[in-house]
Every structure is written in C-alpha cells, then in structure tokens.
Amino acid sequence: MQRTISKQLAITYLDTRLNKCDSAIATMQLESYYTNDEPPLKIGAINPVSRQYAHDIGDTVDVEPRILVNYGCLLTNVIRSEFLEKYIRSQR
C-alpha cells in the first residue's frame, strides 16, 4: 500500500536479532516515520546502519501491513526494502 511520509520520528539501533542495542555494536537500524494519513500511521524501515534516514519527508513508499521474518518475528507497517528482503532470506 502506498503511503507518503510526513514526519521522521527516530532511529533505533538493532543487533542481528532485531533487538535494541548500542549504536557502537549495531548492524542495522529501525527508522520510524509518520504518514500523512488521518490519523497518522506510524511506519518503519529496517536498513543497514548509516545514522541517517533513508527516506525524506514527502517520499511515497510501499508499506506492508505484515511481514513474517521468521517463526518468532512478525513486523507490521514496514517498508519493504532490498536490505530487509536479504535479511529475511538469511533467517529462513
């Protein structure tokens, strides 16, 4: 589903198991955004650590309501990226 980003919220650093961690040992980051829907929808993107947002305000992105990473992890309202696809393939 196409959504337009209206606000960049936060960058959370993640380890290889998608757990929060210190930025010094992070292997990826979770970027949080709000969309311009009413009410705003909180969405996320998982990308390699860059300490910067991959998407700008006004960007239109494809948001998946649910993505199964593995049998113990389900992501909701997430932007499907090439990096995330490679991560999911490595978990199965």
Side-chain angles (χ1 to χ4, degrees):
M1 185 173 293
Q2 294 277 314
R3 302 284 185 188
T4 302
I5 294 173
S6 65
K7 184 176 182 181
Q8 298 169 328
L9 295 176
I11 294 177
T12 304
Y13 298 103
L14 305 173
D15 64 14
T16 57
R17 304 182 119 216
L18 297 178
N19 295 316
K20 289 182 185 179
C21 69
D22 186 73
S23 65
I25 61 169
T27 58
M28 55 190 112
Q29 65 187 30
L30 170 64
E31 303 163 15
S32 301
Y33 303 94
Y34 271 137
T35 65
N36 65 353
D37 300 317
E38 284 300 326
L41 178 66
K42 188 174 182 181
I43 61 174
I46 296 178
N47 289 307
V49 175
S50 67
R51 294 170 178 74
Q52 298 179 351
Y53 290 98
H55 304 284
D56 295 320
I57 294 171
D59 285 355
T60 300
V61 294
D62 285 321
V63 177
E64 296 285 332
R66 291 184 179 91
I67 296 178
L68 181 64
V69 175
N70 57 37
Y71 292 110
C73 183
L74 175 72
L75 301 175
T76 59
N77 296 328
V78 68
I79 299 168
R80 187 179 289 271
S81 66
E82 187 176 320
F83 178 81
L84 181 58
E85 288 296 321
K86 287 178 184 177
Y87 177 78
I88 291 170
R89 280 195 299 271
S90 73
Q91 296 300 302
R92 294 186 178 165

